[in-house]
Amino acid sequence: MSYAAFEAEVARVNDLLCAVNLLTWDARTVMPPGGVEARGKQIATLVSLARDAATGEAMLKALDGAEAETASAPAGDLRRRAVGDARGAIDTLRRIPAALVAEAAELKTEGQAVWAAARAADDFAAFAPTLKRTMAMQREIAGHIGHAGHPYDALCGTYEPGMTWARLQKLFSELKAGIAPLLDKARGVPVRGDILTRRYPVDRQKAFSSRIAASMGYDFGRGRLDDTVHPFEISFTRSDVRITGRFREDWLPGGLFAVWHEAGHGIYEQGVSPAFSRSVFTTDFVNLYAVGGTSFGMHESQSRLWENRVGRSRRFWDRHFADLRETFPEQLGDVPVADFWKAVNAARPSFIRVEADELTYDLHIMLRCEIEAALIDGSLDVDDLPAVWKEKMRDHLGVEVPNDTLGVLQDVHWSSGMVGSFPTYTLGNVMSSQLFRAAGAVPEVEAGLDAGDYAPLRGWLEANVLRHGRSRTPDEILLAATGKALSTEDYVADLSRKVAELAG
Amino acid sequence: MSYAAFEAEVARVNDLLCAVNLLTWDARTVMPPGGVEARGKQIATLVSLARDAATGEAMLKALDGAEAETASAPAGDLRRRAVGDARGAIDTLRRIPAALVAEAAELKTEGQAVWAAARAADDFAAFAPTLKRTMAMQREIAGHIGHAGHPYDALCGTYEPGMTWARLQKLFSELKAGIAPLLDKARGVPVRGDILTRRYPVDRQKAFSSRIAASMGYDFGRGRLDDTVHPFEISFTRSDVRITGRFREDWLPGGLFAVWHEAGHGIYEQGVSPAFSRSVFTTDFVNLYAVGGTSFGMHESQSRLWENRVGRSRRFWDRHFADLRETFPEQLGDVPVADFWKAVNAARPSFIRVEADELTYDLHIMLRCEIEAALIDGSLDVDDLPAVWKEKMRDHLGVEVPNDTLGVLQDVHWSSGMVGSFPTYTLGNVMSSQLFRAAGAVPEVEAGLDAGDYAPLRGWLEANVLRHGRSRTPDEILLAATGKALSTEDYVADLSRKVAELAG
């Protein structure tokens, strides 16, 4: 009965965190403007109750009991794994003082407001004092979490278990070496950008992208698509996983690829084993977040896989462009598929990360991570950030950043205390290629991709990634699914091939 | 500081219950079909956490401290009132064993399913065993709550504080005496029913009814209107109060009056004093429900007031029919306002409560309450219900009920363990007239109604009813606002006047 008591305690935490997810979804999609203030308090209360429930006496007692009950189970036993994982995560959570968490949450609200004003005014100095407090607090949190190497390990490890600054540096240098030679070549490919900025009625964009998302495997019977300023995916158990998109009449790829990106996240959550509902394997105790994906990076691998490996491939458009042209006959009647495909793959160095193409995106990430690591280990001072940012943009992307709004002030992350999450975007890219390559070794998957039948690919992903939920680490999943540890090889190969195709 | 600790404990309970309200709203409006099962568990967890928080050690200690701190405050002091009210409600809640509450919640889910099947099959015998268990459980709950007179008092008192079976019987007999003579007269009024069943495009119904609801005072900046099968209102603090409607193209009054009914509920919640957010005065501890209205009956008085006293008055349509006709020129171009007004006031005895007109509605309620009281005191056996129902319908409404689907099986209430809430519908009707009469004594209110300006009426209601939230009982509010205790006088007068107008 001890294990059952432990399961009940975990389910309670998970229910609370799913409710927090709903309060969040609602606030970003349908909540009337008047609701903002009260909603913030409701979320804070539920998160704090979840923390209390996760670290309280009842949970610790249940953990002890479950540990005793499963101690003699074999190493691979899922119940033993659940207990061990929960113990580790809850210990980490308990090491971060509740007062510090509350202070960080408060600073987050304040920080976002200060950042938004500073960004609008292009005034980094106005943001600097807040950013200093945030970084000091994150250093303190890193100290409580603990680390064996670099203090940044403690932070990026909460988003990507097992990730360290040393591993990242190696991975980044490989990537840099692989991407740099491709940039000039890609930049030379002529592109008809005007194709994408014609007037594309939003309802038809939605219908087309939803149709494709459904064929990829996003189940609308356990989900829905709404409009928001910033697209996102969020789940309230695998049976209710919602995505949002942002559609603009005069920018077609914005709407389409965001839907497939978020659908990729959604397919992940919907594919987690039903047995893991309300369990350790769908609960992120450290971040107090109900989620089925094993890490931020693995999650991103699924969104990038469907958005880029599938959705930006020549094969995909050879298959679906006729449908898109039928959907938009006046806009695309005169456009050959090759031109369209080139246009949605245009690679150009730019200032803004979220608008970056596939080839330059990771360079934006690298400079952010270098800065984060240096801020956390104290080797970089916040006041020097604008200059360092410009220097690094010159170095990585060869562009001259004209001001801080288009530079160091562009991202919301630091203002809300998110330090260490940026690496997961690039990790997602890398993993997406590694998994896609392994899946493609299965003839049915490859044949399906040729035929526009995505069920075999989704099935492979479900069996090898999705269904495991958080019961395996990203490293374990990669090794079992691809036969090798995390490696940049397939990603660099994919990018090289893409550039060759574009230029050829 | 003791009082502040008490406030913090209450705020926590309120936040949890507001989250429950959102989980409920979402489930009824936008949730994908897959979400049902998990949602039920999430709601159960949060309600049980709210119960724990409301009855736990921390709350009881905070209550003691707050009691000590406010003991010497004057009798009218709101803090003292809050402590006293919370003590009373929490004591009641603690008297109902948690296991019994859980059992009742379980039986509710099961009971609704059994009832729905029995209703579809017109098979009362299939529902009888479940109904017996429900009634036994409600009797047990009534025993735990306690009562000085009839056991029904314990149940109806949870929905309407201060209400008793003795008071209800007196009120019903007055009403019956007042309504019975009107029925024949009203039935004789010729009505052009066809006017209302023409094709009325739903988007225009929505636009018209929303425009009127906004002019009544429903603030869409702190609310929103969605579509559901069963219209309802629900709030997550006064700053976010949502309503839903049900629009059918071929039944115009269904859509319009439901919006104004729900808007009336919404205006109540939006009008509660901002100072009462997250406090005792917006928390129903006994029913574990976040709500600002002081009782179910007073809440219903506000929906009925806007729906019937205002929305079904001749004055209202003299003012707004031109707008409606402009909205639906093809449908209403040939219809005089008098015909339309008569059509939306047609009075005809019928089988189904929710479809009943203003005049016969309370007769449906009376028979339900008589049955509930007799089931709870044991003088009526569940097996005799179908026969008793038919007899009472003959007696109260003069109709022969052909089967149980159109009779005793029509309402969901009993199947979900709601016993004692039916009286509040009629109490709402009675209060709506009493308050409307008192408001009308203010010349500005009366002039506003003539001019289609509802701000003075809403202002009067806000000052006399809405802003108090749950800081006054319904009886206190009525006495202060109308100068007299609850009385059927104004309601019977309103109905008599309406019938005279219709017949004249």
Side-chain angles (χ1 to χ4, degrees):
Chain A
M1 283 311 294
S2 304
Y3 192 81
F6 166 66
E7 278 183 315
E9 285 299 320
V10 171
R12 230 151 57 104
V13 174
N14 189 275
D15 284 338
L16 274 168
L17 295 175
C18 283
V20 170
N21 283 358
L22 181 68
L23 290 162
T24 305
W25 174 85
D26 183 84
R28 293 195 201 164
T29 51
V30 297
M31 187 176 77
V36 178
E37 195 192 334
R39 183 55 53 88
K41 289 175 182 160
Q42 289 156 2
I43 290 176
T45 292
L46 265 66
V47 169
S48 122
L49 283 167
R51 191 184 195 282
D52 292 350
T55 58
E57 279 309 310
M59 176 67 88
L60 297 179
K61 214 181 125 201
L63 252 178
D64 289 344
E67 237 163 32
E69 191 175 323
T70 56
S72 56
D77 182 83
L78 271 184
R79 302 192 325 155
R80 190 172 156 187
R81 171 95 191 209
V83 174
D85 285 1
R87 173 69 81 186
I90 287 171
D91 278 353
T92 301
L93 181 63
R94 290 177 66 212
R95 281 202 299 276
I96 313 170
L100 188 58
V101 173
E103 208 184 327
E106 234 172 89
L107 186 57
K108 176 178 171 174
T109 311
E110 186 194 322
Q112 286 186 354
V114 172
W115 162 76
R119 183 199 196 196
D122 188 29
D123 181 4
F124 181 78
F127 180 47
T130 309
L131 187 56
K132 283 179 192 172
R133 281 176 58 206
T134 299
M135 288 299 166
M137 206 170 286
Q138 291 301 316
R139 263 195 301 271
E140 200 180 334
I141 288 174
H144 288 297
I145 293 175
H147 51 86
H150 193 279
Y152 190 57
D153 299 354
L155 299 181
C156 69
T158 66
Y159 301 101
E160 196 66 22
M163 195 42 58
T164 63
W165 181 225
R167 286 182 75 185
L168 284 171
Q169 280 175 295
K170 179 169 173 298
L171 185 136
F172 287 162
S173 82
E174 288 171 18
L175 268 190
K176 185 82 191 270
I179 292 172
L182 302 174
L183 259 184
D184 278 344
K185 205 168 171 188
R187 214 183 307 199
V189 177
V191 165
R192 288 181 55 191
D194 69 293
I195 297 172
L196 306 176
T197 55
R198 296 171 177 176
R199 296 179 68 88
Y200 294 91
V202 162
D203 56 338
R204 282 188 264 163
Q205 288 190 39
K206 241 185 235 184
F208 176 79
S209 57
S210 296
R211 205 155 60 231
I212 297 282
S215 82
M216 289 170 170
Y218 177 72
D219 177 358
F220 280 90
R222 295 184 286 140
R224 51 180 286 135
L225 169 66
D226 293 274
D227 291 1
T228 51
V229 178
H230 302 289
F232 66 98
E233 171 274 329
I234 199 162
S235 68
F236 329 112
T237 78
R238 74 190 291 279
S239 58
D240 186 356
V241 180
R242 305 184 192 176
I243 60 177
T244 72
R246 182 197 188 179
F247 301 90
R248 273 167 42 192
E249 199 172 64
D250 57 357
W251 182 236
L252 181 61
L256 302 189
F257 290 100
V259 168
W260 302 331
H261 180 100
E262 301 309 333
H265 284 301
I267 290 166
Y268 193 171
E269 292 296 313
Q270 290 182 336
V272 173
S273 166
F276 293 168
S277 279
R278 307 172 79 228
S279 82
V280 171
F281 300 137
T282 51
T283 308
D284 178 348
F285 284 100
V286 178
N287 291 300
L288 287 173
Y289 184 50
V291 66
T294 190
S295 71
F296 281 61
M298 190 60 79
H299 233 299
E300 198 70 9
S301 81
Q302 298 308 297
S303 57
R304 299 287 179 159
L305 185 146
W306 290 106
E307 177 194 3
N308 290 335
R309 298 282 72 72
V310 175
R312 276 195 170 85
S313 70
R314 178 63 195 256
R315 172 157 63 174
F316 176 87
W317 288 109
D318 282 345
R319 187 78 212 164
H320 299 292
F321 190 64
D323 183 4
L324 187 70
R325 191 150 47 188
E326 260 175 58
T327 309
F328 299 109
E330 320 89 52
Q331 296 85 347
L332 293 172
D334 64 332
V335 176
V337 58
D339 287 13
F340 184 83
W341 171 70
K342 278 184 186 175
V344 299
N345 278 289
R348 303 279 183 274
S350 62
F351 303 126
I352 303 294
R353 174 183 61 85
V354 297
E355 295 169 4
D357 54 81
E358 227 187 315
L359 208 57
T360 59
Y361 188 88
D362 300 299
L363 304 171
H364 289 270
I365 294 301
M366 290 178 203
L367 82 89
R368 281 160 179 75
C369 297
E370 289 161 11
I371 286 173
E372 286 189 335
L375 284 170
I376 290 300
D377 71 19
S379 61
L380 172 63
D381 193 87
V382 163
D383 292 325
D384 298 328
L385 257 184
V388 170
W389 185 278
K390 286 173 184 169
E391 187 192 314
K392 283 186 181 289
M393 282 296 284
R394 211 175 291 131
D395 180 38
H396 280 294
L397 282 143
V399 297
E400 285 298 325
V401 175
N403 58 48
D404 292 335
T405 296
L406 291 174
V408 66
L409 287 174
Q410 71 185 262
D411 292 311
V412 70
H413 299 59
W414 296 338
S415 76
S416 51
M418 274 189 102
V419 179
S421 76
F422 278 123
T424 65
Y425 295 118
T426 285
L427 291 170
N429 286 332
V430 171
M431 291 181 201
S432 80
S433 280
Q434 191 169 334
L435 292 166
F436 190 66
R437 177 69 59 93
V442 178
E444 291 74 25
V445 170
E446 201 61 24
L449 289 168
D450 285 336
D453 172 10
Y454 304 111
L457 173 57
R458 197 200 147 275
W460 187 92
L461 291 168
E462 180 172 5
N464 288 280
V465 181
L466 321 187
R467 72 182 174 90
H468 298 305
R470 303 174 66 83
S471 73
R472 296 185 176 188
T473 64
D475 287 329
E476 288 170 335
I477 287 174
L478 280 179
L479 194 60
T482 73
K484 61 184 181 188
L486 179 70
S487 153
T488 57
E489 181 189 6
D490 298 324
Y491 182 50
V492 170
D494 277 340
L495 293 179
S496 305
R497 198 175 315 109
K498 173 77 72 77
V499 171
E501 261 183 287
L502 285 167
Chain B
M1 282 311 294
S2 306
Y3 192 81
F6 166 67
E7 278 183 314
E9 285 298 321
V10 171
R12 231 151 56 106
V13 175
N14 189 276
D15 284 339
L16 274 168
L17 296 175
C18 283
V20 170
N21 283 358
L22 181 68
L23 290 162
T24 305
W25 174 85
D26 183 83
R28 294 195 201 165
T29 51
V30 298
M31 188 176 78
V36 178
E37 194 193 335
R39 182 56 51 87
K41 288 174 182 161
Q42 289 156 3
I43 290 176
T45 292
L46 264 66
V47 169
S48 122
L49 282 167
R51 191 184 195 281
D52 291 350
T55 58
E57 279 310 308
M59 176 67 89
L60 296 179
K61 213 181 128 201
L63 252 177
D64 289 344
E67 237 164 30
E69 190 175 324
T70 56
S72 56
D77 182 82
L78 271 183
R79 303 193 323 155
R80 191 173 155 185
R81 172 94 191 211
V83 174
D85 286 1
R87 173 70 80 187
I90 287 171
D91 279 352
T92 302
L93 181 63
R94 291 177 66 213
R95 281 201 299 276
I96 313 171
L100 189 58
V101 173
E103 209 183 328
E106 236 171 87
L107 186 57
K108 177 178 170 172
T109 311
E110 186 194 323
Q112 286 186 355
V114 172
W115 162 76
R119 185 199 194 196
D122 188 28
D123 182 3
F124 180 79
F127 179 48
T130 311
L131 187 55
K132 283 179 191 170
R133 281 176 58 206
T134 300
M135 288 298 166
M137 207 171 285
Q138 291 301 315
R139 263 196 300 273
E140 200 180 335
I141 288 173
H144 287 297
I145 293 175
H147 51 87
H150 193 278
Y152 190 57
D153 299 353
L155 299 181
C156 70
T158 65
Y159 301 102
E160 197 65 22
M163 194 43 59
T164 63
W165 182 226
R167 286 182 74 185
L168 284 171
Q169 281 175 295
K170 180 170 174 295
L171 184 136
F172 287 162
S173 82
E174 288 171 17
L175 269 190
K176 184 85 190 271
I179 292 172
L182 302 174
L183 260 182
D184 278 344
K185 207 170 171 184
R187 213 181 309 197
V189 177
V191 166
R192 289 181 56 190
D194 70 293
I195 298 172
L196 307 176
T197 55
R198 297 170 179 179
R199 296 179 68 87
Y200 294 90
V202 162
D203 56 338
R204 282 188 264 163
Q205 290 188 38
K206 242 184 233 185
F208 176 79
S209 57
S210 296
R211 205 155 61 231
I212 298 281
S215 83
M216 288 169 169
Y218 178 73
D219 178 359
F220 280 90
R222 295 184 286 140
R224 52 180 286 136
L225 170 66
D226 293 273
D227 291 0
T228 50
V229 177
H230 301 289
F232 67 98
E233 172 274 330
I234 199 161
S235 67
F236 329 111
T237 77
R238 74 190 290 279
S239 59
D240 186 355
V241 179
R242 305 185 192 175
I243 60 176
T244 72
R246 182 197 188 179
F247 301 90
R248 272 167 42 191
E249 199 173 65
D250 57 356
W251 183 235
L252 181 61
L256 303 188
F257 290 100
V259 168
W260 302 331
H261 180 101
E262 301 309 333
H265 284 301
I267 290 165
Y268 194 170
E269 292 295 313
Q270 290 182 336
V272 173
S273 166
F276 294 168
S277 279
R278 308 171 79 228
S279 83
V280 171
F281 300 138
T282 51
T283 309
D284 178 347
F285 284 99
V286 178
N287 291 300
L288 288 173
Y289 183 50
V291 66
T294 191
S295 71
F296 281 61
M298 190 59 79
H299 232 298
E300 198 69 8
S301 80
Q302 298 307 297
S303 57
R304 299 288 179 158
L305 185 146
W306 290 106
E307 177 194 5
N308 290 336
R309 299 281 72 73
V310 175
R312 277 195 169 85
S313 70
R314 179 63 195 256
R315 172 158 61 174
F316 176 88
W317 287 109
D318 282 344
R319 188 77 211 167
H320 298 291
F321 190 65
D323 183 2
L324 187 70
R325 191 150 46 188
E326 261 175 57
T327 308
F328 298 109
E330 319 88 53
Q331 295 84 348
L332 293 172
D334 63 334
V335 176
V337 60
D339 287 12
F340 184 83
W341 171 71
K342 278 184 185 175
V344 299
N345 279 289
R348 303 279 184 273
S350 61
F351 303 126
I352 303 294
R353 175 183 62 84
V354 296
E355 294 169 4
D357 56 81
E358 228 187 316
L359 208 56
T360 59
Y361 187 88
D362 300 298
L363 304 171
H364 290 270
I365 295 301
M366 289 176 203
L367 82 89
R368 281 160 179 76
C369 297
E370 289 161 10
I371 286 172
E372 285 189 335
L375 285 170
I376 290 300
D377 72 19
S379 62
L380 173 62
D381 193 88
V382 163
D383 292 326
D384 298 328
L385 258 184
V388 170
W389 185 279
K390 285 173 185 172
E391 185 193 314
K392 283 186 182 288
M393 282 296 283
R394 212 175 290 131
D395 181 39
H396 281 296
L397 283 142
V399 297
E400 284 299 325
V401 175
N403 58 49
D404 292 336
T405 297
L406 291 173
V408 67
L409 287 174
Q410 70 184 265
D411 293 310
V412 70
H413 298 61
W414 296 337
S415 75
S416 50
M418 273 189 103
V419 180
S421 76
F422 278 123
T424 65
Y425 296 119
T426 285
L427 291 170
N429 285 333
V430 171
M431 291 181 202
S432 81
S433 280
Q434 191 169 336
L435 291 166
F436 190 66
R437 177 68 60 92
V442 178
E444 291 75 24
V445 170
E446 201 61 24
L449 289 168
D450 285 336
D453 171 12
Y454 304 111
L457 173 57
R458 198 200 146 276
W460 187 93
L461 291 168
E462 180 173 5
N464 289 280
V465 181
L466 321 187
R467 72 182 174 89
H468 297 305
R470 304 173 66 83
S471 73
R472 297 185 176 185
T473 65
D475 287 330
E476 287 170 336
I477 287 174
L478 280 179
L479 194 61
T482 72
K484 61 184 180 189
L486 178 70
S487 153
T488 57
E489 182 189 6
D490 298 323
Y491 182 50
V492 171
D494 277 341
L495 293 178
S496 306
R497 199 175 313 109
K498 172 80 69 81
V499 171
E501 261 183 285
L502 286 166

